[in-house]
Amino acid sequence: MSTSEATPFQSRFLRRFGRFVRVLPKGRHRAFQLAWRAAGSPEEFVGEFDGSPFVVDPQDRHSSMQLFLWGVHEAAVTEVFLALLKPTGCVLDIGSNSGYFSILAAHRTRGRVVSYEPLPRNFRFLEATRAAANLDNWLPLQIAISDRNGPLEFDPRGDDEGRSGWGTISPSGTVVVDGRTLDSECARLGLDSIDLLKMDIEGHEVEAFVGMSNLLRHRRIANLIVELHPRLASSQRLAALTDSMKRYGYHGYRVRDEFVRSTRFSQPDGPLLPSRLQDLEPTHLTDDGVHVLWSAEPQRTELG
């Protein structure tokens, strides 16, 4: 029988066991499940990620547990993200899920970090992690970024299967969430410029870009790392989005996932971007889950 929250002893036991499990080449989930049951099967516990407390949802197998057992997610994107971070920059994490990129940013910049996550279950864990880690420069908000302000239907698909990152805005959604445009949000929060924006919202990208058109028109967002989903948003709509970004003066790049083998990261001392990026081409918009960087300042892409 599970309990809602782990005791300090249970959290300490699972945190230490997690450090041991991370060195295993395989079988990490199975080994953890045995330890978790031995600890009383708590529904949440305080683990560790990026050197600080991280509230873990054991039922979220493909996000929260991924961070706890592996300590990394989307390796190539992580390297590009860290390379673009500035010591005092403003970072927005749209569709933050368990807070992976938000935590990385909050530990490495003295600027503001704002997370947008509409799913209530994910947001509860985000707030708990921010409090446990005592990251005062990190602000989680339970808001969906879209093309209009007002209530939106959210489909939490996959949530009951331990896939908390698959949910998206949809007319068939069963959860009502608060929708906002990014233009209105930046005005509300007093954000004049954004140094780095990361977005993964499962097919709602085009609508989100419509809602930030004023920011983009004035190039007040320096860099945007976005996961695109042609299967959900259609390659035609994404091609139109790419044309719009060109008109706004942004250069597009595909993140080259195949170049990364590392599973541990620190903020780079030198440029990592040349070997990670290639100029964005129309054929890239047919690959589901492709990661794109749009930058107001062209990046070097020649390989060394």
Side-chain angles (χ1 to χ4, degrees):
M1 182 177 180
S2 63
T3 58
S4 61
E5 187 175 345
T7 65
F9 172 79
Q10 289 172 312
S11 287
R12 188 163 54 249
F13 167 74
L14 291 171
R15 188 161 54 248
R16 289 175 177 174
F17 191 83
R19 294 169 188 164
F20 161 73
V21 168
R22 287 186 206 117
V23 304
L24 298 178
K26 59 182 181 179
R28 298 184 189 187
H29 273 290
R30 182 175 298 179
F32 173 80
Q33 285 295 317
L34 294 174
W36 178 63
R37 292 191 186 101
S41 303
E43 292 180 3
E44 64 183 76
F45 65 93
V46 181
E48 186 178 63
F49 168 66
D50 201 36
S52 72
F54 168 69
V55 181
V56 181
D57 176 4
Q59 303 304 318
D60 185 8
R61 181 182 175 89
H62 294 271
S63 183
S64 187
M65 287 302 300
Q66 172 84 8
L67 303 194
F68 178 67
L69 295 178
W70 273 265
V72 67
H73 177 61
E74 297 176 343
V77 178
T78 299
E79 288 200 351
V80 174
F81 182 86
L82 293 178
L84 292 170
L85 276 179
K86 294 183 178 180
T88 58
C90 174
V91 179
L92 299 190
D93 184 6
I94 300 175
S96 57
N97 196 269
S98 56
Y100 173 70
F101 288 100
S102 297
I103 296 168
L104 291 177
H107 282 162
R108 292 165 175 79
T109 180
R110 297 186 299 277
R112 299 177 72 177
V113 178
V114 184
S115 299
Y116 289 96
E117 175 53 51
L119 189 62
R121 181 184 180 91
N122 289 349
F123 184 73
R124 181 171 67 82
F125 281 96
L126 278 180
E127 283 198 311
T129 292
R130 187 206 60 78
N134 195 28
L135 294 170
D136 294 334
N137 61 332
W138 178 21
L139 175 64
L141 295 171
Q142 192 175 348
I143 291 171
I145 296 300
S146 188
D147 57 350
R148 62 188 186 277
N149 296 329
L152 298 170
E153 290 77 30
F154 187 89
D155 181 3
R157 58 192 178 90
D159 190 40
D160 57 351
E161 301 173 5
R163 299 176 183 271
S164 65
W166 284 17
T168 188
I169 301 299
S170 170
S172 61
T174 57
V175 178
V176 177
V177 299
D178 184 14
R180 306 276 183 87
T181 68
L182 193 60
D183 283 340
S184 65
E185 272 297 282
C186 286
R188 182 177 72 88
L189 296 174
L191 300 178
D192 294 327
S193 62
I194 301 161
D195 295 284
L196 179 57
L197 180 151
K198 167 265 166 188
M199 183 166 67
D200 180 5
I201 53 177
E202 299 294 315
H204 200 64
E205 300 87 36
V206 174
E207 289 81 0
F209 272 90
V210 170
M212 63 178 84
S213 58
N214 186 59
L215 291 164
L216 296 171
R217 188 176 295 111
H218 295 93
R219 298 177 74 186
R220 289 168 55 192
I221 308 176
N223 295 287
L224 305 92
I225 301 175
V226 183
E227 183 171 356
L228 300 179
H229 301 82
R231 178 175 57 86
L232 300 171
S234 87
S235 55
Q236 292 81 8
R237 295 184 72 205
L238 295 178
L241 169 61
T242 299
D243 290 340
S244 296
M245 293 300 286
K246 288 180 181 178
R247 290 196 297 272
Y248 289 140
Y250 287 86
H251 196 99
Y253 307 89
R254 177 181 182 169
V255 178
R256 303 167 64 104
D257 295 326
E258 67 270 21
F259 278 86
V260 176
R261 297 292 181 267
S262 174
T263 59
R264 291 292 182 270
F265 298 96
S266 58
Q267 195 157 11
D269 295 325
L272 284 174
L273 299 184
S275 64
R276 301 292 178 254
L277 304 176
Q278 65 181 123
D279 289 334
L280 185 63
E281 300 175 0
T283 55
H284 298 157
L285 300 179
T286 62
D287 298 334
D288 202 58
V290 63
H291 288 95
V292 171
L293 166 67
W294 275 294
S295 181
E297 296 293 333
Q299 308 289 336
R300 291 195 310 113
T301 58
E302 61 271 17
L303 302 181

